[in-house]
Amino acid sequence: MPQGKGKGGGPIVSPYQKDTSGGSGPYKAHYTTDPGLPDHTIYAPKEAPKDVSMPLIVWGEGACAAQGTAFVNLLTELASHGYVVLANGAPGTPGSAFPSDRSKTTSPEQLTQSMDWVTSGKDAGKYGTIDKTKVAAAGQSCGGAQAMRVSGDPRIKLTAMFNSGGMGKLGGGKGPAFAAKDLKHPIIYLLGGTGDLAYAGGSAEYKSLPATVPSILFSMDGAGHGGTYGEIHAGKFGKAAVAAFDYILKGDAKAKSSLFPGEGFKADGWDYEFKNWDNFKPS
């Protein structure tokens, strides 16, 4: 059963499978909250890894809903590979797209609040050593639009659009919107094929990126707007996301070899394109 529909139709999250594994990575992860960062959900390794500096991911929810556990399998999977993920919205029913009060929504400013909370150095250190120089803005659907809106922040080194792209001012926020045409850092798109309501916009945005911006387009026909986020470890969307984040933010050689030329992803059913990576050097 779909876990809620976004504007324009189509499920936001694929049918949810409860995953108690803590992710497939080397650091078993979970989610929690912190009074220092209200209205957010924090995903991190259960035990802060020693001598490991973890990149930060700030996450916008599908439908811009204030539900920090809608993508629990995906965000736990990322955290298990050595990331701290700060998601907009307090925890709700895991895998459900919306909070009980559907009038509650999030804003791009909450992504900035997440970055500020980490860079302030006050409380975030309890979750491990967070590398403030390696930050990704990411989100699904409307949450991807929020991620794009804050991508002019110089702290951000990667923008990740999950079933998103070409959504203009969707996502709210104050002030002028940052747009893909202004990007100078890498961007990745993960789309669900022609049945994904974000497919046309995301594909067109990918094609119109600045000529020098490193970018990847994953698209899986038949996955739709809900992707595979509800599956254990977030399925093939989770696998692709980990590889892209690991190379771009960590410079992981194994991830790089899987991404270029990407034959393994093509075998997984992805339509896969990339451009402008020859001169890229991970931060």
Side-chain angles (χ1 to χ4, degrees), residues 2 18 73 85 89-91 116 122 133 139 149-150 183 196 212 219 253 267-268 270:
K18 186 176 181 180
N73 288 359
V85 186
D116 290 346
K122 293 180 180 179
T133 70
R149 288 181 69 90
V150 302
L183 279 172
D196 182 349
T212 59
S219 183
D268 277 348
W270 291 103

Side-chain angles (χ1 to χ4, degrees), residues 100-121:
S100 56
D101 180 357
R102 291 199 178 194
S103 68
K104 292 183 177 180
T105 58
T106 60
S107 70
E109 285 76 19
Q110 286 178 260
L111 300 176
T112 302
Q113 289 169 8
S114 292
M115 290 185 282
D116 290 346
W117 182 67
V118 170
T119 55
S120 71

Side-chain angles (χ1 to χ4, degrees), residues 202-229:
S203 299
E205 189 171 273
Y206 171 79
K207 293 176 182 177
S208 67
L209 290 169
T212 59
V213 168
S215 53
I216 299 173
L217 175 65
F218 294 92
S219 183
M220 180 170 289
D221 197 39
H225 200 56
T228 62
Y229 308 113

Side-chain angles (χ1 to χ4, degrees), residues 254-277:
K254 183 177 180 181
K256 180 181 180 180
S257 66
S258 73
L259 290 166
F260 311 116
E263 295 304 320
F265 292 110
K266 295 172 186 176
D268 277 348
W270 291 103
D271 291 325
Y272 182 75
E273 300 178 38
F274 61 87
K275 54 189 177 182
N276 302 324
W277 292 96

Side-chain angles (χ1 to χ4, degrees), residues 10-275:
I12 297 170
V13 186
S14 57
Y16 175 62
Q17 300 174 39
K18 186 176 181 180
D19 183 359
T20 60
S21 70
S24 70
Y27 314 108
K28 295 309 174 186
H30 68 155
Y31 66 85
T32 187
T33 59
D34 194 291
L37 189 67
D39 301 318
H40 290 75
T41 303
I42 300 167
Y43 294 81
K46 293 178 181 179
E47 296 184 10
K50 296 179 180 179
D51 302 319
V52 174
S53 185
M54 297 181 288
L56 172 68
I57 302 169
V58 295
W59 175 266
E61 299 296 339
C64 294
Q67 212 300 54
T69 49
F71 294 85
V72 60
N73 288 359
L74 172 67
L75 304 187
T76 301
E77 175 68 5
L78 287 166
S80 79
H81 286 268
Y83 296 86
V84 172
V85 186
L86 305 180
N88 287 352
T93 301
S96 175
F98 295 100
S100 56
D101 180 357
R102 291 199 178 194
S103 68
K104 292 183 177 180
T105 58
T106 60
S107 70
E109 285 76 19
Q110 286 178 260
L111 300 176
T112 302
Q113 289 169 8
S114 292
M115 290 185 282
D116 290 346
W117 182 67
V118 170
T119 55
S120 71
K122 293 180 180 179
D123 302 303
K126 70 184 75 171
Y127 302 102
T129 301
I130 302 175
D131 191 335
K132 304 176 183 65
T133 70
K134 297 180 179 180
V135 181
Q140 197 267 353
S141 193
C142 184
Q146 291 182 335
M148 181 62 75
R149 288 181 69 90
V150 302
S151 284
D153 190 304
R155 292 172 289 190
I156 295 171
K157 299 299 188 292
L158 166 65
T159 299
M161 307 289 281
F162 293 76
N163 310 96
S164 191
M167 293 187 173
K169 294 183 178 180
L170 188 67
K174 301 175 182 178
F178 185 85
K181 65 180 178 59
D182 303 313
L183 279 172
K184 292 181 173 59
H185 59 248
I187 183 168
I188 63 172
Y189 295 83
L190 293 97
L191 305 175
T194 55
D196 182 349
L197 65 88
Y199 178 78
S203 299
E205 189 171 273
Y206 171 79
K207 293 176 182 177
S208 67
L209 290 169
T212 59
V213 168
S215 53
I216 299 173
L217 175 65
F218 294 92
S219 183
M220 180 170 289
D221 197 39
H225 200 56
T228 62
Y229 308 113
E231 295 181 12
I232 302 299
H233 305 153
K236 292 178 179 178
F237 275 66
K239 177 182 176 181
V242 168
F245 279 72
D246 275 359
Y247 173 55
I248 298 168
L249 294 180
K250 296 181 180 181
D252 184 88
K254 183 177 180 181
K256 180 181 180 180
S257 66
S258 73
L259 290 166
F260 311 116
E263 295 304 320
F265 292 110
K266 295 172 186 176
D268 277 348
W270 291 103
D271 291 325
Y272 182 75
E273 300 178 38
F274 61 87
K275 54 189 177 182

